[in-house]
Amino acid sequence: MKVPLRVLQIGPIAVVLAVTLHRAFELDRFLIPKELVLHATALVAGVAAFGALRRMVWTRVDQLLAVYLAVSAVSVVFATNRWVGWRAFAVSASAILIFWVARVLREAGLAPALLRGLALAIVVAAITSLLQTYGVELELFSVNRAPGGTLGNRNFIGHTAAFGLPVLLFVLLTAQRVTLAAAGVALTMMALVLTRSRAAWLAAAAVFVIFIAGSLVARAWKRFAVVLIAAVIGVAAALLIPNALHWRSDNPYLQSMKSVTNYEKGSGAGRLIQYQRSLFMAAMHPLLGVGPGNWPVRYPHYAARNDPSLDESEPRMTFNPWPSSDWIAILSERGFAAALALAIAAVMIALTALRSDDRLQATALIATLAAAAIAGAFDAVLLLAEPTLLVFATLGALFVPAEPRTRGRLAPLLVLIVAFLGVIRSASQIAAMELFTRGSRSSLEQAATLDPGNFRVQLRLARIGKRAERCEHARAAAALFPTSAAAASAARGCE
């Protein structure tokens, strides 16, 4: 089992660092390379551990995750935009495959080594954010959402720090080298504070509450005092050391703290509008939703007047390619059955942890679930490759099933196939991004061949060349995003 272990130790670090330099795709240059790493990690680890996966005894949790994937797969078939549908489905499939591989590694007694690797990846993410915070300028960083480091967005760093804290705290509480682990906690807390991510702050607060209770039950309060000292040092350093960030407010961290629960104005009010309209969309498609990843495709049809989720610069398109909540996304995109299956699986994992004899491990597991659930209630977490890999690997390494039921011999093979196709799809998207930057029509045509679901490529081709050529791509763009005013304009006059 050394090969899958090494893959799941290297993969999380690679997914944190994976970025391309194609600034024309300022968001996808971070997201797509990380999806490629997610799929490659799942594929290689899954192949290396395939024999053990076939022998793995399934629990109700595994069955529920399989139901979640099955419903999601059917939902893709009926989605308006199957390209983004497949992309979102593949992320979920590779994540669950990683969960199963991590479980196999835990059964082989390799969970401590895996958890140390995950903790290192979380610290690496924090370090990239801190480098940008204190003035290091690299092409790998985005200047628009500083200090996002190699994740490209300060909120993504905040989420990673929040749901990564349980792993770091567990490693510190059980480590022989306390100083090194404490340094990792301090650096992560620094990055967490500096991101000003309110969802991440709430999630981190829940983690500390859970760990305080867990440490008292496990009689590890003396070691937990080291955790608190490391956390305080990290917070103090973030607040006191001058940095290169340019906030508009004189007291940005206090302002963010005061507005954590503000839903009367600003982004909070916008979220409420978005949640209401998205739930209405979910109610209109209760069985399968509108399709994985298809929230931005369908939401403009249900949006309120002057909806802040819509992009004023691109009429009838959403500002972000996902809603401001994992759970709203799952309900609206995959339907109530899929959302219920995933929720019950999470609850069953937590209940199993509560019955565990290893109190600290149970605490870390419950805290990871809580952090992912809270951060995911207000932002995109499990919709993205990097947090999905880290969360599902952590859950798999900490989850100790209570009731084995049957063997799932076919499911690992099917999910391996999805991971393989995910590698091909993500690699094709990166190649298409490279071709797009060259600018010629021939290179754009090649990009459209490699990535037919790339709306920007299709729309660019719809605006250059001969009429017949333009119309072909204008129709393709309109099919991908039917509500887009730009695509409708380009397709005007085309039969």
Side-chain angles (χ1 to χ4, degrees):
M1 300 299 290
K2 289 185 178 180
V3 172
L5 173 63
R6 292 292 178 260
V7 173
L8 285 195
Q9 287 176 324
I10 296 171
I13 298 173
V15 81
V16 165
L17 298 177
V19 186
T20 72
L21 301 180
H22 302 307
R23 288 192 173 273
F25 297 85
E26 187 55 25
L27 184 61
D28 277 345
R29 80 184 185 98
F30 293 95
L31 299 184
I32 295 176
K34 296 182 190 306
E35 290 172 16
L36 176 60
V37 173
L38 167 69
H39 299 316
T41 300
L43 177 63
V44 177
V47 169
F50 187 66
L53 287 173
R54 285 176 58 83
R55 294 189 301 271
M56 183 182 72
V57 179
W58 273 33
T59 66
R60 290 187 180 92
V61 169
D62 302 305
Q63 292 171 341
L64 287 165
L65 292 177
V67 168
Y68 173 71
L69 282 183
V71 175
S72 298
V74 176
S75 182
V76 172
V77 175
F78 294 96
T80 300
N81 187 329
R82 294 188 183 92
W83 290 106
V84 296
W86 166 260
R87 179 178 171 181
F89 167 70
V91 167
S92 299
S94 289
I96 290 173
L97 178 56
I98 285 173
F99 171 79
W100 288 335
V101 174
R103 272 193 56 197
V104 167
L105 293 175
R106 182 198 56 76
E107 292 170 1
L110 299 173
L114 174 56
L115 290 169
R116 288 194 295 270
L118 294 171
L120 178 59
I122 292 156
V123 175
V124 168
I127 289 172
T128 68
S129 176
L130 294 174
L131 288 174
Q132 187 175 21
T133 296
Y134 295 105
V136 176
E137 297 181 3
L138 298 175
E139 288 294 314
L140 299 177
F141 300 158
S142 171
V143 297
N144 297 328
R145 295 284 185 175
T150 52
L151 302 192
N153 187 304
R154 63 183 177 86
N155 287 316
F156 298 166
I157 290 288
H159 303 156
T160 297
F163 64 69
L165 271 177
V167 174
L168 289 166
L169 300 187
F170 178 73
V171 169
L172 195 159
L173 290 171
T174 57
Q176 294 180 346
R177 298 181 179 180
V178 176
T179 303
L180 187 61
V185 171
L187 290 171
T188 302
M189 287 301 299
M190 282 184 68
L192 175 65
V193 171
L194 289 163
T195 62
R196 294 182 62 196
S197 173
R198 290 169 291 177
W201 288 2
L202 286 172
V207 168
F208 276 102
V209 169
I210 293 169
F211 261 90
I212 289 172
S215 298
L216 291 174
V217 172
R219 298 181 180 180
W221 58 270
K222 290 183 179 180
R223 180 65 71 93
F224 191 73
V226 178
V227 169
L228 293 178
I229 293 171
V232 169
I233 290 173
V235 172
L239 296 176
L240 298 176
I241 299 175
N243 59 60
L245 300 177
H246 301 288
W247 303 118
R248 295 179 181 178
S249 170
D250 292 333
N251 297 292
Y253 307 105
L254 180 60
Q255 181 185 17
S256 293
M257 183 66 72
K258 289 180 178 179
S259 61
V260 164
T261 58
N262 184 358
Y263 279 85
E264 296 181 356
K265 58 183 179 179
S267 61
R271 276 186 170 89
L272 286 182
I273 295 171
Q274 183 192 95
Y275 295 169
Q276 292 169 358
R277 305 310 298 176
S278 296
L279 288 174
F280 177 72
M281 182 168 67
M284 294 295 99
H285 303 84
L287 187 59
L288 297 173
V290 298
N294 272 250
W295 178 85
V297 179
R298 301 296 298 275
Y299 183 80
H301 179 71
Y302 295 90
R305 180 175 297 182
N306 300 320
D307 196 314
S309 295
L310 299 183
D311 189 348
E312 295 181 358
S313 64
E314 297 186 43
R316 304 295 295 166
M317 294 284 284
T318 59
F319 188 78
N320 287 317
W322 49 69
S324 297
S325 168
D326 281 343
W327 315 123
I328 293 295
I330 292 169
L331 279 169
S332 61
E333 293 182 347
R334 308 187 190 209
F336 290 93
L340 186 62
L342 186 62
I344 293 175
V347 170
M348 291 187 70
I349 291 174
L351 291 176
T352 301
L354 289 174
R355 296 193 294 268
S356 173
D357 294 330
D358 190 330
R359 299 302 185 187
L360 287 180
Q361 180 172 307
T363 299
L365 180 57
I366 294 171
T368 301
L369 285 170
I374 293 171
F378 304 104
D379 277 315
V381 178
L382 299 183
L383 306 177
L384 310 178
E386 180 262 350
T388 297
L389 190 159
L390 293 172
V391 168
F392 276 84
T394 301
L395 295 179
L398 294 172
F399 175 52
V400 181
E403 291 186 32
R405 293 179 62 82
T406 184
R407 295 184 186 276
R409 298 182 182 277
L410 183 59
L413 176 60
L414 294 176
V415 180
L416 269 173
I417 294 172
V418 175
F420 173 71
L421 295 175
V423 169
I424 295 175
R425 168 76 173 137
S426 297
S428 298
Q429 288 180 282
I430 293 173
M433 290 164 61
E434 169 63 29
L435 290 166
F436 179 90
T437 59
R438 297 180 186 178
S440 66
R441 182 171 183 86
S442 61
S443 62
L444 289 172
E445 291 282 4
Q446 293 176 49
T449 300
L450 284 173
D451 186 9
N454 192 313
F455 178 74
R456 288 188 61 187
V457 171
Q458 298 289 4
L459 192 60
R460 175 71 68 85
L461 285 166
R463 292 169 171 167
I464 59 176
K466 298 179 180 179
R467 178 180 176 80
E469 296 172 331
R470 294 200 309 271
C471 282
E472 175 187 354
H473 294 286
R475 287 191 292 267
L480 293 171
F481 284 86
T483 64
S484 169
S489 176
R492 191 171 293 122
C494 297
E495 296 181 0

